[in-house]
Amino acid sequence: MASRSSPGPSTSSQEQRRKRKREAGGQNGEEHASSGSPTHYKWRRGRITSEVKAPFLHPEERAAFYNILKDDHIHNFLLRDTGLRISDKYLLAMVLVYFKLAGLKTEEYGRNFFAALFLANQVEEDEQSRREIYPWALGWTWRTKMKRLHQRRDTLLRRMDYRAVVDRATCDLVMAEDPSHWAWMRTRPLHHGWAIRWYHRHWQEYQIRGPESSPLSCSLCSATESHPTKWEVVGINICRQSEDER
């Protein structure tokens, strides 16, 4: 039986090819780092594993984002988010970053708001509170239209090249441009940030309420943090419209 021979020319040529690939990869990595382009984090096997750098936001993009927050339907949704569990300042900052990464036009912001917020909650939140977004985004027949929101989310994710993880420093940079805006003052109360096991929660916390029901009350939130009922929201909108007309 012939003994094994030492590595021949074919083996050495393979090693040379691997070396060239490593060198080329290093050069590409240096060029990528020097270009300042955001890091790509792909969604693999259902998990998003990376983060992006803060994008540059034009003043008109910020203004368009603030305008959609004033929309009656979206504003009512934000008012009735008990404890800011699904729309605190960091989640809203992620939505604005998503719009920029996806290259959306400002007129596309409104119809993509709930899809972007749903995605931000999927990325950052462990709780299932994001299900409250369904009736606000899809209407009272939301149970038969859930796939529509998922399709909008997936379309947005593809347009973002699957860069869905945004770190806290990026959100802070986004908010630092307009620190006094009310959207960036939506700080979530500490008691709504705890990780509480499902069997320690009240069953009403898992009930999807939607625009037609009063928001879930919280005994730990102070009176200044309480959220308006449906009819109080209507009154707030009437007062806000009258102020805009003056």
Side-chain angles (χ1 to χ4, degrees), residues 180-199:
S180 60
H181 193 275
W182 60 265
W184 312 137
M185 297 180 180
R186 294 173 60 84
T187 302
R188 185 182 305 178
L190 183 61
H191 56 270
H192 284 299
W194 297 339
I196 304 176
R197 297 186 182 276
W198 64 269
Y199 48 80

Side-chain angles (χ1 to χ4, degrees), residues 141-166:
T141 57
W142 61 269
R143 289 179 177 82
T144 61
K145 300 177 181 177
M146 294 171 62
K147 289 185 178 179
R148 293 187 183 181
L149 183 62
H150 298 165
Q151 290 171 353
R152 294 177 198 167
R153 175 204 60 193
D154 295 343
T155 300
L156 181 68
L157 190 59
R158 284 193 296 269
R159 293 182 65 172
M160 292 162 48
D161 196 17
Y162 300 93
R163 295 172 290 173
V165 176
V166 183

Side-chain angles (χ1 to χ4, degrees), residues 53-71:
K53 296 180 181 178
F56 174 76
L57 294 165
H58 295 281
E60 56 270 20
E61 293 172 333
R62 288 182 174 275
F65 180 71
Y66 296 150
N67 283 335
I68 67 168
L69 298 183
K70 295 178 183 178
D71 175 81

Side-chain angles (χ1 to χ4, degrees), residues 8 17-19 69 72 97 123-124 147 202-203 222 225:
R17 284 197 295 271
R18 293 194 195 101
K19 185 177 180 181
L69 298 183
D72 288 345
V97 173
V123 172
E124 290 297 331
K147 289 185 178 179
H202 195 276
W203 65 269
S222 64
E225 294 176 330

Side-chain angles (χ1 to χ4, degrees), residues 4-211:
R4 294 183 179 178
S5 59
S6 59
S10 60
T11 305
S12 60
S13 63
Q14 291 176 359
E15 292 177 353
Q16 290 176 0
R17 284 197 295 271
R18 293 194 195 101
K19 185 177 180 181
R20 285 196 296 269
K21 288 181 179 179
R22 286 196 297 269
E23 291 175 352
Q27 293 174 358
N28 293 337
E30 293 173 359
E31 293 174 359
H32 181 75
S34 62
S35 64
S37 58
T39 305
H40 285 56
Y41 277 27
K42 297 291 185 178
W43 193 343
R44 295 174 180 172
R45 296 183 181 178
R47 298 183 65 184
I48 305 174
T49 58
S50 192
E51 58 193 30
V52 297
K53 296 180 181 178
F56 174 76
L57 294 165
H58 295 281
E60 56 270 20
E61 293 172 333
R62 288 182 174 275
F65 180 71
Y66 296 150
N67 283 335
I68 67 168
L69 298 183
K70 295 178 183 178
D71 175 81
D72 288 345
H73 187 64
I74 293 177
H75 190 69
N76 294 348
F77 165 77
L78 296 175
L79 283 174
R80 300 175 67 191
D81 178 17
T82 305
L84 308 180
R85 292 180 293 180
I86 54 178
S87 63
D88 70 348
K89 60 183 181 180
Y90 285 105
L91 293 172
L92 292 179
M94 288 179 66
V95 170
L96 181 53
V97 173
Y98 286 172
F99 289 167
K100 182 65 176 181
L101 293 176
L104 297 183
K105 298 178 181 178
T106 54
E107 55 267 24
E108 296 180 285
Y109 284 8
R111 61 177 176 267
N112 284 282
F113 174 79
F114 285 113
L117 185 62
F118 190 87
L119 176 59
N121 274 269
Q122 278 191 302
V123 172
E124 290 297 331
E125 303 297 330
D126 295 330
E127 302 297 333
Q128 297 296 319
S129 302
R130 62 177 178 269
R131 295 181 299 174
E132 181 64 25
I133 297 174
Y134 284 127
W136 290 90
L138 304 171
W140 65 278
T141 57
W142 61 269
R143 289 179 177 82
T144 61
K145 300 177 181 177
M146 294 171 62
K147 289 185 178 179
R148 293 187 183 181
L149 183 62
H150 298 165
Q151 290 171 353
R152 294 177 198 167
R153 175 204 60 193
D154 295 343
T155 300
L156 181 68
L157 190 59
R158 284 193 296 269
R159 293 182 65 172
M160 292 162 48
D161 196 17
Y162 300 93
R163 295 172 290 173
V165 176
V166 183
D167 61 8
R168 179 169 180 168
T170 299
C171 294
D172 289 334
L173 288 174
V174 170
M175 294 185 287
E177 294 294 328
D178 300 296
S180 60
H181 193 275
W182 60 265
W184 312 137
M185 297 180 180
R186 294 173 60 84
T187 302
R188 185 182 305 178
L190 183 61
H191 56 270
H192 284 299
W194 297 339
I196 304 176
R197 297 186 182 276
W198 64 269
Y199 48 80
H200 287 309
R201 294 182 177 274
H202 195 276
W203 65 269
Q204 289 185 342
E205 294 189 43
Y206 297 96
Q207 184 180 12
I208 300 177
R209 310 180 75 83

